[in-house]
Amino acid sequence: MKIKEMYMIFDKNNELKPQYFTTFGQAQCNLYGCICLENLIDSLKGLLKSYQDTEKEINLLTKEWEKEESKETMQNNIVNILLGYKIDRETKFTEKYKELYKYHNNLMNSYSNTIDLLLTADETKKIIKKNGYIVLNEIFIDKMVELLESKLESRYL
């Protein structure tokens, strides 16, 4: 079965049932709604793109910041932000970095949570191992789709 032919259903708490896939006919009967797997995969791709764009933005900001402050001061501030410590002197860079870092983390959490809905921990580990331990790329998503389609194909034959 193809991803666009399969659905996940929501439960009464408006949360998707993890690793529970069904056909549209069965999903239609669910009182709480459903979502097509293809849409979830597209969401993953969007999260990945946003994550990569944010990472680029963080790198550019870091380079800009390094031009205006000593490297040691800048690195200390970055470490303090990452660890959640107080920063002695707030600058335009520290505020922007905090904002980007928080957004970056939220994207990563959403990406990971979506993968957890689609795959078991063992399935994720297998793909990660085959993909050179990289999760945040299109290849991982493509391998995940292949695995899901083969799993669904064998289930619905």
Side-chain angles (χ1 to χ4, degrees):
M1 295 220 115
K2 296 290 180 197
I3 292 295
K4 61 185 172 188
E5 299 168 339
M6 297 306 294
Y7 291 79
M8 291 184 79
I9 62 172
F10 290 93
D11 63 16
K12 65 182 177 185
N13 298 321
N14 203 26
E15 295 175 2
L16 287 171
K17 290 187 176 187
Q19 295 98 36
Y20 183 84
F21 310 108
T22 188
T23 61
F24 180 69
Q26 292 171 332
Q28 261 186 312
C29 297
N30 182 39
L31 298 174
Y32 307 110
C34 61
I35 186 168
C36 181
L37 282 182
E38 185 177 42
N39 292 344
L40 281 174
I41 298 302
D42 288 344
S43 294
L44 266 181
K45 290 177 181 178
L47 288 167
L48 176 61
K49 172 90 172 85
S50 294
Y51 181 87
Q52 292 167 338
D53 290 346
T54 305
E55 206 162 59
K56 287 177 189 171
E57 228 180 307
I58 287 172
N59 290 335
L60 287 172
L61 178 68
T62 304
K63 286 178 186 174
E64 230 182 278
W65 192 355
E66 197 173 59
K67 289 177 188 174
E68 290 199 24
E69 283 191 36
S70 74
K71 191 169 187 164
E72 185 181 338
T73 302
M74 180 205 68
Q75 288 175 340
N76 285 338
N77 282 332
I78 287 174
V79 168
N80 286 342
I81 290 169
L82 298 178
L83 296 175
Y85 295 156
K86 188 175 185 322
I87 297 172
D88 295 335
R89 187 177 63 88
E90 295 283 340
T91 67
K92 64 181 179 182
F93 297 108
T94 56
E95 284 303 310
K96 183 68 176 169
Y97 196 91
K98 281 181 190 176
E99 178 185 313
L100 286 171
Y101 178 71
K102 183 177 178 182
Y103 182 62
H104 197 252
N105 276 349
N106 288 341
L107 289 167
M108 179 60 179
N109 289 338
S110 295
Y111 185 87
S112 296
N113 291 342
T114 304
I115 289 171
D116 291 345
L117 284 170
L118 297 169
L119 301 174
T120 64
D122 286 340
E123 291 169 334
T124 302
K125 285 177 190 173
K126 284 178 188 173
I127 294 173
I128 290 171
K129 192 173 181 180
K130 286 180 184 174
N131 195 29
Y133 298 93
I134 300 171
V135 180
L136 288 162
N137 66 20
E138 287 274 341
I139 296 169
F140 177 86
I141 295 173
D142 292 342
K143 296 290 181 196
M144 181 179 61
V145 169
E146 286 175 21
L147 175 68
L148 287 170
E149 286 181 343
S150 69
K151 191 165 103 173
L152 295 170
E153 191 69 38
S154 64
R155 182 174 157 198
Y156 285 96
L157 279 180

